[in-house]
Amino acid sequence: MALRIDGKAVAAKIKAQVAGEAAILAEKGIAPGLAVVIVGSDPASRIYVNNKKKACQEVGIYSEEYALPEGTTQEELLALVDRLNHEPKISGILVQSPLPKGLNESALVEAIDPKKDVDAFHPYNVGKLMQGRQIFLPCTPAGVIELLKSANVEIAGKNCVVIGRSDIVGKPMAMLLMQNNGTVTICHSRTQNLAEICRGADILVSAVGRAGFVTEDMIKPGAAVIDVGMNRDETGKLCGDVVFEEAEKVAGYITPVPGGVGPMTIAMLMQNTVTAAKLQNGIS
């Protein structure tokens, strides 16, 4: 049976470190602050925002929430982002996805000051990541790397397969695995012989958002399987991309859903917010 990598436990350690850094900053009169903007009433988005606010309280980060109605215009959102860019109390700005139809998410991301872009979605920060000179690490991929390290899974020299090529997870995940000297293949909807490619992976990261997508026959015995998916099955139960009961019998390491990657994403967001506060106050 695979070793389950406990994301809650690893996230708790990271948040404890962040709390220590925030306390040191507080002694210097610096209070890291996170502004979270949510538009509309998407239930999943509300849960995510509440979890982020709770994490801020746990680690000593000041937080502000801007809950805006469904009919908020692009101009109103851009004006809010501009105001937060110039607000000294705010170290990091996060616009919760997805946004209602009619709003240009890319334009909003580009409007955020790169020094306050704690999601690391701004083209400036994406470019820095490509060069290996990043200021902020993209939260979910960075959390995956921390999970692998916590289980002493060697990345260097290993065959790594990422299923999914999104800007949020797939692409930056590949970059971080390469920075850790992994040999990376990105798979997507047009990939041929997907199962065969996955079976060659020492580290398999699935981020496609489809319940039951990764089955036992796609997993190399002893591989590390990281499930980034967050889905609902036919009964409404939260699940990942991986058929957990099957995969657990084959893999060497595996992350559960829930309790795997999810808590790490928020922990890394807290880390980025403290990093942003340091950056804006000239502290290395």
Side-chain angles (χ1 to χ4, degrees), residues 9-173:
V10 180
K13 290 181 181 179
I14 290 173
K15 287 195 286 187
Q17 293 169 0
V18 171
E21 292 180 55
I24 292 171
L25 289 176
E27 292 173 359
K28 299 177 181 180
I30 299 168
L34 177 66
V36 181
V37 180
I38 177 172
V39 185
S41 55
D42 180 73
S45 292
R46 170 43 58 192
I47 292 170
Y48 295 146
V49 167
N50 288 346
N51 287 341
K52 288 163 185 173
K53 287 166 58 182
K54 180 182 176 184
C56 284
Q57 291 177 332
E58 290 173 351
V59 302
I61 290 176
Y62 167 76
S63 68
E64 292 182 355
E65 178 189 316
Y66 294 85
L68 306 178
E70 193 90 17
T72 300
T73 66
Q74 185 83 10
E75 292 70 25
E76 288 169 333
L77 270 175
L78 288 170
L80 173 58
V81 168
D82 183 64
R83 180 161 66 82
L84 294 172
N85 280 339
H86 295 90
E87 174 54 65
K89 290 191 299 182
I90 298 301
S91 315
I93 303 168
L94 183 151
V95 179
Q96 182 65 46
S97 295
L99 291 172
K101 289 182 179 179
L103 295 174
N104 186 332
E105 193 163 339
S106 296
L108 285 166
V109 168
E110 290 186 32
I112 296 172
D113 183 341
K115 291 190 177 78
K116 295 191 176 188
D117 170 39
V118 287
D119 263 336
F121 291 165
H122 192 285
Y124 175 86
N125 286 322
V126 174
K128 296 284 277 188
L129 174 65
M130 288 288 293
Q131 295 177 334
R133 300 191 296 124
Q134 59 270 4
I135 301 167
F136 304 117
L137 290 170
C139 299
T140 298
V144 170
I145 296 296
E146 291 299 323
L147 287 174
L148 291 169
K149 289 180 177 179
S150 76
N152 295 316
V153 175
E154 182 68 41
I155 302 173
K158 301 299 182 180
N159 288 327
C160 308
V161 172
V162 179
I163 313 175
R165 53 178 168 180
S166 71
D167 293 338
I168 294 174
V169 180
K171 292 174 186 175
M173 186 76 256

